[in-house]
Amino acid sequence: MRVVLDTNVLLSALISPHGAPDAIYNAWRAARFELVTSTVQLDELRRVSRYPKLKVILPAHRIGAMMNNMQRAVVLEHLPSLPQDVEANDPNDAFLLTMALVGEANYLVTGDRRAGLLQLSSAGQARIVTPAAFCAEAL
């Protein structure tokens, strides 16, 4: 099973060690599924983790450990443009949909209810679900 985790899910795993995002991150580290990421997402994770409000609650060594772990994931180096028949309500989330399509993911897991990804419900073969729904269905 291949899974794309939204950056907000990855950060949530570090912020709240007892929630669904943490359970998902630990399941991946235990090799229960393949994580699909990209250089675009890794760059976003580095950038967002430096925001002042996150630096206060996320020590640099925890982000560094996650970044090192993610080198074991399926890392897509070059992402094509999102196909014209797939529309992202938030242009900043287009790379997630592209990762799901190109990476042949079974799931795209996101906690962002405002951006519209969950309303799409799927991208190619990937179901778009919340962390709680992913835990209930796949773990």
Side-chain angles (χ1 to χ4, degrees):
M1 169 174 56
R2 286 183 157 208
V3 180
V4 171
L5 299 178
D6 194 337
T7 306
N8 65 52
V9 174
L10 292 167
L11 291 170
S12 293
L14 296 177
I15 293 168
S16 179
H18 302 292
D22 184 57
I24 295 166
Y25 180 63
N26 287 326
W28 168 66
R29 291 184 61 208
R32 294 189 51 200
F33 62 86
E34 280 187 288
L35 178 64
V36 177
T37 188
S38 67
T39 54
V40 173
Q41 184 176 42
L42 294 174
D43 289 344
E44 179 182 58
L45 189 56
R46 280 185 203 96
R47 180 179 44 79
V48 171
S49 68
R50 293 182 184 121
Y51 289 173
K53 66 181 180 181
L54 289 179
K55 283 178 77 170
V56 173
I57 57 175
L58 284 177
H61 73 276
R62 295 200 56 211
I63 292 291
M66 178 178 272
M67 297 297 293
N68 288 338
N69 286 330
M70 290 182 69
Q71 297 307 316
R72 295 182 295 118
V74 175
V75 180
L76 304 172
E77 296 291 328
H78 303 286
L79 291 178
S81 297
L82 191 61
Q84 290 183 356
D85 62 337
V86 180
E87 188 175 326
N89 291 343
D90 182 347
N92 293 324
D93 287 337
F95 80 95
L96 294 167
L97 294 170
T98 303
M99 285 170 34
L101 294 169
V102 172
E104 299 178 346
N106 303 95
Y107 287 93
L108 190 166
V109 182
T110 182
D112 190 349
R113 297 181 186 280
R114 294 174 291 130
L117 286 177
L118 289 168
Q119 289 76 9
L120 290 176
S121 76
S122 67
Q125 70 180 12
R127 293 197 51 233
I128 302 173
V129 297
T130 65
F134 179 76
C135 286
E137 291 178 22
L139 295 184

